[in-house]
Amino acid sequence: MTSDTPAALVAEAGALTAEAVATLEAAGSVAEVAAARPELLGKGSPLAGLRRRLGALAPKDRPAAGRALSEALSEVEKRYETRLDELRSAERRLQLEAERLDLTELHEPPQVGRLHVITQTQRRLEDVFCAMGYTVAEGPEIETEWHNFGALNFPPGHPARDMYDTLYVDHGPPGSTLLRTHTSPVQVRVMQNQSPPLYVVAPGRCYRQDTADATHMPVFHQIEGLVIDEDITLGDLAGAIETFTTAYFGPGFTSRLRPSYFPFTEPSAEFDVQRPDGTWLELGGSGMVHPSVLEVCGVDPERWSGFAFGFGIDRLAMLRYGVDDLRDLWTNDVRFLEQF
Ligand code: FA5
């Protein structure tokens, strides 16, 4: 009988390992690798068979040869696992690719709205007056008759108080509550609640029983201005209007005051703006705050004086954007409104 040598055993183990690695590399699928396992690593595999030949070695050679066999087996085991992992990931990738779903959906871009042209105009006016040092005040749209008329010197029989002009609200004693007909009651509230010097504008909605036409709406917007300080004169009013006109409309526009009458200002004036083409447009009313209004609101007329003005924001928007008919601003036709 030919006796085995450790060297022959180790050499054979090396050759079987190389063969097993080649088989694993050549396997093209997880199933193929798994199927090769018994043949490469099972009890009946040629490598395992080498173990049985250890007994034929001289006892002193057995440990080293045994170690070499174990290393060969664990090397094949390692390559087996690695190859299995590689093929599993490759198969998973292929599967994912094959099952891939395109979940993207095409949407129209969202429709972005815009501020109504009246709101844009109001904000621009606020910006211009804030730049001139004014602050913005607000007052209620449902007002007392006293704030809207009484405190502002409207005598009891004044036509503006008539129910054909003013929308009264069914609240409290008859005739005591109304939808404000102008922003001037905010003057009263500001003077009652703040101490001079005052530089304030108050924009907001107003209501009158006016029939809707190209230049009138029953609901419209005004912006009120109020300045109370020491030694304020009509010259300051004219200067403020002129500064505003150039700041808002730009160079080439100018303004003028025309004598007029309002019960709460003395003297009173309408103010007009001249366009670069030379034509004039009436914008609103103004005047020096009447001493009795100052007194009613708790401001000492001996020490303080001031001016006020108020004009229509809707009419200003018409002018600026070339709108011919105020009613177009209210019908809410998006095709019309999105031009601004
Ligand atoms: C007033 O309302 C006074 N409160 C203005 C004022 C304030 C005078 C401070 C003195 C001191 P009048 O009724 O004229 O004034 O209105 C002022 C502006 O509001 C008008 O010039 C116009 O631009 C606008 N307006 C008035 N009624 C309507 C309406 N029905 N529709 C649209 N705009 C209007």
Side-chain angles (χ1 to χ4, degrees):
M1 161 189 162
T2 52
S3 64
D4 252 341
T5 64
L9 214 61
V10 170
E12 210 171 315
L16 286 171
T17 304
E19 231 173 80
V21 168
T23 307
L24 288 171
E25 293 305 325
S29 70
V30 171
E32 237 178 279
V33 174
R37 187 178 168 90
E39 178 203 332
L40 303 178
L41 290 157
K43 282 205 174 77
S45 65
L47 260 178
L50 291 181
R51 276 200 178 279
R52 282 191 292 279
R53 283 161 52 190
L54 280 176
L57 296 180
K60 68 170 176 46
D61 292 331
R62 286 180 200 158
R67 251 195 324 275
L69 281 185
S70 296
E71 276 165 16
L73 274 166
S74 69
E75 168 69 15
V76 175
E77 178 76 46
K78 209 167 75 198
R79 297 305 291 261
Y80 171 82
E81 293 298 339
T82 317
R83 186 67 184 138
L84 210 55
D85 279 353
E86 275 171 19
L87 288 167
R88 272 199 192 117
S89 330
E91 284 180 16
R92 180 103 190 108
R93 263 200 311 278
L94 281 173
Q95 189 187 359
L96 282 178
E97 194 55 41
E99 292 177 359
R100 202 166 71 141
L101 280 181
D102 183 1
L103 294 175
T104 49
E105 203 180 330
L106 279 182
H107 282 286
E108 291 287 306
Q111 286 223 326
V112 180
R114 69 192 63 223
L115 294 174
H116 191 277
V117 56
I118 301 277
T119 311
Q120 290 180 39
T121 308
Q122 178 174 323
R123 297 216 175 152
R124 224 174 101 75
L125 288 168
E126 287 174 15
D127 286 348
V128 168
F129 281 110
C130 285
M132 288 166 65
Y134 289 64
T135 55
V136 178
E138 280 189 336
E141 290 173 25
I142 300 175
E143 257 301 2
T144 69
E145 177 278 337
W146 184 80
H147 286 92
N148 195 81
F149 293 129
L152 292 169
N153 239 358
F154 281 81
H158 194 281
R161 287 174 176 248
D162 198 284
M163 60 178 288
Y164 292 107
D165 286 328
T166 299
L167 292 149
Y168 285 89
V169 175
D170 192 6
H171 176 82
S176 63
T177 312
L178 44 77
L179 297 180
R180 69 178 178 192
T181 60
H182 51 175
T183 42
S184 298
V186 189
Q187 286 185 38
V188 177
R189 291 183 177 274
V190 168
M191 284 191 274
Q192 283 186 315
N193 294 313
Q194 298 175 36
S195 309
L198 299 170
Y199 290 79
V200 173
V201 282
R205 223 171 266 149
C206 305
Y207 305 81
R208 288 183 196 178
Q209 295 232 32
D210 282 342
T211 306
D213 64 22
T215 52
H216 292 83
M217 288 299 288
V219 183
F220 60 99
H221 299 78
Q222 286 188 344
I223 184 163
E224 192 82 7
L226 174 71
V227 166
I228 305 285
D229 208 335
E230 284 168 336
D231 304 322
I232 296 288
T233 68
L234 198 63
D236 295 310
L237 168 61
I241 300 280
E242 182 65 18
T243 308
F244 157 75
T245 304
T246 347
Y248 184 79
F249 291 101
F253 284 79
T254 184
S255 64
R256 76 176 173 200
L257 298 180
R258 259 185 309 115
S260 182
Y261 172 77
F262 295 98
F264 43 96
T265 45
E266 179 59 34
S268 302
E270 302 278 354
F271 69 87
D272 306 331
V273 167
Q274 188 179 36
R275 304 186 187 94
D277 68 6
T279 55
W280 291 93
L281 182 98
E282 179 192 312
L283 261 198
S286 65
M288 301 304 291
V289 181
H290 199 294
S292 47
V293 174
L294 291 176
E295 213 159 340
V296 160
C297 297
V299 175
D300 179 4
E302 296 296 322
R303 175 165 178 208
W304 305 100
S305 57
F307 63 77
F309 56 84
F311 53 88
I313 296 179
D314 316 64
R315 297 231 186 126
L316 204 75
M318 283 178 87
L319 179 70
R320 186 173 155 86
Y321 297 102
V323 174
D324 307 321
D325 195 318
L326 254 194
R327 287 167 292 193
D328 289 336
L329 298 177
W330 292 87
T331 42
N332 278 343
D333 184 337
V334 172
R335 290 165 306 175
F336 175 78
L337 290 174
E338 69 187 2
Q339 302 174 84
F340 309 108

